[in-house]
């Protein structure tokens, strides 16, 4: 598809009957011009510099089997499988963005916080506004780091406080791509389908991974731990592409 063509939902076969609801049409109307510009590298990052990996976890209440026990187990698998000496940050997106752990090299602190995440009752997933704020505050101007977003979310509606618009969503996607942020995701749904079309959360997340060259792992709740472990391996491979011959040290550049 040409970069100036709109995403044509009519040419994409839906994956389930539930996707035909009006919400789906809204989500697809929001998305988005396909973009194929090459991924840039954040200013100042050199081989041997660490990644700054911001993990966004959806802890909103959803009308299915509570996935959080599986997500917590998966985050433990993910952190254990990541290569050492990178910089981590943990954020939840239920109801609104909540920074649980600021950027740190202390994997244990991140794991302890991840294992204590609780569901936000009567809330939705504020994914788009959380990505927007994390990017603006922690990734846009970061130096000497390779910026990475990890999205762990359940297919469903986006309930960001500010209503996203076509222009705003496209602007955020362009900013992520142009500044070299790599977006990776595990997307949970009852059927673990590959979300070519679906809710706004799934469609926007898939588009982020496509534009930035990241990995997208569809999952059910019970497969989330294995998928998160797999994602950690794919992120390790992404780092090897950025830094083929050097690994970050315990005392990396500030």
């Amino acid at each position: 598809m040409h970069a100036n063509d709109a995403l044509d939902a009519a040419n994409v076969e839906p994956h389930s009957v539930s996707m035909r609801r009006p919400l789906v049409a809204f989500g697809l109307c929001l998305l988005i011009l396909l973009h194929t510009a090459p991924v840039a590298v954040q200013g100042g990052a050199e081989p041997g510099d660490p990644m700054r990996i911001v993990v966004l976890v959806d802890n909103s209440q959803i009308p299915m089997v509570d996935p959080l026990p599986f997500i917590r187990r998966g985050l433990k698998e993910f952190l254990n499988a990541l290569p050492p000496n990178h910089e981590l940050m943990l954020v939840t997106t239920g109801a609104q963005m909540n920074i649980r752990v600021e950027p740190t090299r202390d994997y244990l602190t991140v794991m302890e916080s991840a294992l204590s995440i609780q569901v936000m009752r009567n809330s939705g997933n504020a994914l788009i506004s959380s990505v927007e704020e994390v990017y603006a505050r922690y990734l846009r101007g970061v130096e000497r780091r390779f910026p990475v977003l990890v999205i762990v979310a359940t297919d469903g509606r986006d309930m960001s406080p500010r209503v996203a618009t076509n222009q705003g969503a496209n602007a955020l996607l362009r900013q992520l791509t142009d500044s070299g942020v790599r977006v990776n995701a595990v997307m949970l749904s009852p059927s673990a389908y590959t979300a070519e079309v679906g809710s706004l959360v799934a469609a926007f997340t898939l588009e982020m991974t496509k534009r930035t060259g990241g990995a997208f792992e569809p999952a059910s709740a019970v497969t989330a731990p294995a998928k998160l472990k797999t994602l950690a391996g794919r992120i390790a491979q992404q780092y090897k592409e950025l830094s083929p011959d050097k690994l970050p040290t315990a005392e990396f550049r500030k």
Side-chain angles (χ1 to χ4, degrees), residues 6-150:
L7 186 63
D8 185 359
N11 292 331
V12 183
E13 182 180 355
H15 294 268
S16 71
V17 173
S18 64
M19 293 177 190
R20 299 179 186 131
R21 295 175 180 175
L23 174 63
V24 175
F26 171 77
L28 292 174
C29 285
L30 187 74
L31 290 170
I32 285 162
L33 300 178
L34 290 178
H35 182 68
T36 57
V39 174
V41 175
Q42 187 75 12
E46 299 176 356
D49 286 334
M51 295 181 289
R52 172 173 286 182
I53 304 171
V54 184
V55 184
L56 281 76
V57 179
D58 174 13
N59 63 329
S60 61
Q61 187 174 20
I62 58 170
M64 60 179 279
V65 176
D66 181 9
L68 266 178
F70 301 99
I71 290 174
R72 288 193 292 263
R73 189 188 314 162
L75 291 171
K76 182 178 181 180
E77 296 278 351
F78 174 81
L79 292 168
N80 283 332
L82 277 179
N85 297 325
H86 292 286
E87 195 171 67
L88 307 179
M89 180 177 175
L90 182 63
V91 176
T92 54
T93 62
Q96 62 184 3
M97 187 184 84
N98 177 37
I99 298 172
R100 295 182 63 92
V101 182
E102 294 273 355
T104 180
R105 290 177 288 167
D106 187 346
Y107 285 35
L108 181 58
T109 295
V110 177
M111 184 176 295
E112 289 173 348
S113 183
L115 294 177
S116 66
I117 295 174
Q118 300 297 320
V119 68
M120 290 291 292
R121 302 292 178 187
N122 303 313
S123 70
N125 183 12
L127 175 66
I128 294 178
S129 62
S130 298
V131 170
E132 183 179 38
E133 188 169 349
V134 164
Y135 170 75
R137 293 174 58 185
Y138 295 96
L139 298 178
R140 180 171 59 190
V142 68
E143 294 291 334
R144 299 175 177 176
R145 305 287 186 273
F146 295 104
V148 176
L149 275 176
V150 174

